Amino acid sequence: LIDGDGGAGKSTLLLDLAARLSTGTSLPGGAQHAPMSTLLLMAEDGLSDTIRPRLELAGADLSRIGALPTITDASRDGTPYDRLPLLPDDA
């Protein structure tokens, strides 16, 4: 979990990490790893207008990155609504 004020760079940090994981690029500190997939749980920024362009600029392999901004659930009366994912319940 990363928490902080808006504009502090949390999303930039996490998208850089996702890009590095997707391509096998070494992590800060030099740790090496094989390319791997990442699932983003980011509901504040738009996928097409913010997240994808930032990932592309970071050199991410987009085929290895998924996103789950919200989950469609049903209220007590059966009416569908979107909510944020809850961990570990929605994993």
Side-chain angles (χ1 to χ4, degrees), residues 8-85:
K10 301 176 301 292
S11 295
T12 301
L13 171 71
L14 292 174
L15 293 176
D16 177 69
L17 179 59
R20 289 170 184 261
L21 292 172
S22 74
T23 60
T25 303
S26 63
L27 298 173
Q32 301 293 314
H33 60 90
M36 61 183 71
S37 297
T38 301
L39 179 63
L40 301 174
L41 304 176
M42 301 177 76
E44 290 183 15
D45 295 318
L47 292 174
S48 63
D49 65 345
T50 303
I51 293 174
R52 183 182 180 106
R54 289 181 181 178
L55 287 169
E56 289 172 342
L57 285 172
D61 176 351
L62 297 177
S63 72
R64 292 187 169 275
I65 299 178
L68 181 62
T70 60
I71 292 182
T72 302
D73 211 340
S75 64
R76 291 183 185 178
D77 68 1
T79 305
Y81 70 97
D82 289 338
R83 63 172 175 80
L84 297 174

